[in-house]
Structure formats: structure tokens, C-alpha cells
């Protein structure tokens, strides 16, 4: 039930764009995105809910294709501060699951 | 003010010992969690409490026992520690369990020797 993230790692230069994908084999109710810098705790970025509602940072954009059970996180005009490991967490549809299952993460490195 | 705090930050102990990790949140949230992050950075839910009631209890060894004395606190006690328990343990909280952002504590790095 663990979602699959791709790519595993990406290296960018400042100002470049990146897309991180998250896919599930099961129907989803929501997808959550977190960023974790080395040695620190994960920090919330965004939640995308079934039905189109989004909650999160204005500067981060993401999409959620409910039919394909996929989500993508769009990082545009990357800054050095974007570096870190990005995790998607998925909440299954149907019933009171309340459990987030995280993917293995995508390591993003932004170089000057 | 720290929103979610954990103590201790580092814990080094020998196999077979019993240890506890404490977590406190001052956000007024109803739901708290324990996650384990292994050396490969895999972040896995262990337990969750909502209003002091256990709502998520993943398949973890029964050597791990959570306890929530009140909504603001969630502790994790580990008996008979094993080498494989070495990991970073994160506490988190959210307003309620249904699709709200989770706020993570700074983590406790447990090393079992």
C-alpha cells in the first residue's frame, strides 16, 4: 500500500523547475506532501483532497488525479532552500482510515 | 514556543534495556502520532491517539507501548530494546485525524548498542 514516488533523486540549478510524482495502487481520499531537510523533522507543504480541495502553501503547487490515483508536486523557479527530501503521504478512500502511508521520498538538491 | 517537543533528543542505550520517549504539544490538537524513520529514511506510522483514545495501532512488536495521559502528551515506552530499534522516532500532532496537516516534533535519535 506504500505509494511509489519518482524520481528517487533530482539535482537542479537554482531557478530550474522540477516535478515529483506519487502514485498509488489503491483509491485515495487524500495526498499529503512534506519536505524534510537533513537532520530535521518533516514539514507540511500541502494536502490535496478528493473532490479538488487543496490546503497548503501558496508558493507550492500540486495536482491530484483521483482516477489515476496519482499526485504531482510542482516546484518552479527552485531556490537553494528547496533542497531536501520530499515525501508524499497517502490516505486511502473508503472508511475511517485516518492513516498516512508515506512513500520512500525524493531527494531534491538545488545547486547555485 | 515549540509546538511539538520531544525528550530526549538523543538516546544511546544497550540491548535489553527499557527506555521511554516523551512528547508534548501546545497546539491544542486532538490527535497525536508516533512515527519511526529508519536509516533509509522510510517514515512509518506506529501509533495514533485521538482524544486519548488509540485509533491506529500498526503492526509493531508489543515491546512498544504508547501512553497518552492527556490530549497534549503522548509517550512511547520500549521494553527489551533490540539493535533493530535504532532509528529516529518522531512524534506529531494534528487538529484531528481526518486529513489535517501534521506538525512533527524534532525527533529522538535512538541508538541501541
Amino acid at each position: 500500500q506504500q505509494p511509489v514516488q519518482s524520481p528517487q533523486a533530482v539535482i537542479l540549478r537554482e531557478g530550474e523547475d522540477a516535478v515529483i510524482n506519487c502514485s498509488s495502487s489503491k483509491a485515495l481520499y487524500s495526498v499529503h506532501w512534506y519536505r524534510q531537510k537533513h537532520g530535521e523533522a518533516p514539514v507540511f507543504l500541502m494536502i490535496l483532497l478528493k473532490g479538488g480541495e487543496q490546503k497548503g502553501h501558496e508558493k507550492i503547487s500540486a495536482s491530484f488525479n483521483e482516477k489515476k490515483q496519482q499526485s504531482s508536486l510542482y516546484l518552479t523557479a527552485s531556490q537553494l532552500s528547496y533542497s531536501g527530501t520530499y515525501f508524499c503521504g497517502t490516505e486511502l478512500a473508503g472508511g475511517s482510515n485516518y492513516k498516512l502511508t508515506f512513500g520512500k521520498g525524493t531527494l531534491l538538491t538545488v545547486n547555485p | 514556543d515549540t509546538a511539538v517537543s520531544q525528550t530526549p533528543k538523543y538516546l544511546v542505550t544497550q540491548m535489553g534495556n527499557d527506555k521511554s520517549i516523551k512528547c508534548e504539544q501546545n497546539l491544542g490538537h486532538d490527535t497525536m502520532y508516533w512515527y519511526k524513520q529508519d536509516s533509509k529514511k522510510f517514515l512509518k506510522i506506529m501509533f495514533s491517539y485521538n482524544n486519548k483514545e488509540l485509533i491506529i495501532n500498526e503492526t509493531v512488536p508489543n515491546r512498544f507501548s504508547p501512553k497518552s495521559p492527556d490530549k497534549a502528551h503522548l509517550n512511547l515506552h520500549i521494553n527489551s530494546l533490540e539493535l533493530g530499534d535504532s532509528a529516529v522516532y518522531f512524534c506529531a500532532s494534528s487538529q484531528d485525524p481526518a486529513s489535517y496537516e501534521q506538525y512533527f516534533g524534532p525527533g529522538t535519535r535512538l541508538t541501541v548498542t
Side-chain angles (χ1 to χ4, degrees):
Chain A
Q1 295 179 355
Q2 182 181 29
V4 176
Q5 287 186 234
S6 63
Q8 290 185 343
V10 59
I11 300 175
L12 300 174
R13 285 187 180 263
E14 244 182 319
E16 292 182 338
D17 302 337
V19 180
I20 301 173
N21 301 304
C22 176
S23 64
S24 171
S25 60
K26 295 190 177 283
L28 300 175
Y29 177 73
S30 68
V31 179
H32 301 221
W33 287 96
Y34 286 79
R35 177 172 60 212
Q36 184 178 28
K37 293 182 180 288
H38 182 69
E40 299 181 7
V43 174
F44 168 76
L45 294 176
M46 175 162 285
I47 295 175
L48 302 107
L49 298 167
K50 189 176 178 179
E53 184 182 353
Q54 293 187 13
K55 297 186 270 189
H57 292 267
E58 294 178 358
K59 293 187 177 180
I60 301 285
S61 64
S63 64
F64 179 22
N65 186 324
E66 297 167 31
K67 288 186 179 179
K68 291 186 176 180
Q69 294 141 205
Q70 293 175 346
S71 176
S72 294
L73 185 70
Y74 304 98
L75 301 161
T76 57
S78 58
Q79 304 170 18
L80 296 177
S81 61
Y82 287 10
S83 293
T85 301
Y86 288 77
F87 292 96
C88 72
T90 53
E91 187 180 0
L92 297 182
S96 305
N97 193 284
Y98 301 149
K99 182 178 79 171
L100 276 189
T101 303
F102 285 96
K104 292 186 177 180
T106 296
L107 178 61
L108 178 74
T109 304
V110 181
N111 292 320
Chain B
D1 276 349
T2 304
V4 182
S5 58
Q6 293 179 229
T7 53
K9 188 166 174 63
Y10 299 97
L11 188 53
V12 180
T13 188
Q14 291 184 327
M15 283 176 58
N17 285 347
D18 304 338
K19 290 293 178 186
S20 291
I21 306 171
K22 295 187 176 183
C23 177
E24 178 181 0
Q25 55 95 3
N26 62 6
L27 297 167
H29 288 168
D30 286 344
T31 311
M32 296 185 73
Y33 312 80
W34 277 113
Y35 287 90
K36 178 181 180 181
Q37 188 170 45
D38 61 23
S39 57
K40 295 184 179 179
K41 292 214 155 193
F42 179 37
L43 193 61
K44 184 170 167 45
I45 182 82
M46 298 174 69
F47 304 103
S48 177
Y49 274 76
N50 186 52
N51 277 320
K52 300 197 300 175
E53 181 186 346
L54 183 65
I55 58 170
I56 296 174
N57 186 0
E58 287 296 279
T59 309
V60 300
N62 56 16
R63 299 181 293 103
F64 290 79
S65 52
K67 194 167 187 179
S68 181
D70 55 57
K71 282 195 330 182
H73 296 85
L74 179 61
N75 303 323
L76 182 66
H77 188 76
I78 316 170
N79 290 325
S80 303
L81 278 155
E82 300 177 357
L83 292 176
D85 298 333
S86 294
V88 179
Y89 292 83
F90 286 103
C91 174
S93 73
S94 66
Q95 186 171 328
D96 73 37
S99 294
Y100 278 85
E101 58 265 40
Q102 295 182 18
Y103 293 80
F104 283 77
T108 296
R109 181 173 292 277
L110 171 66
T111 304
V112 183
T113 61

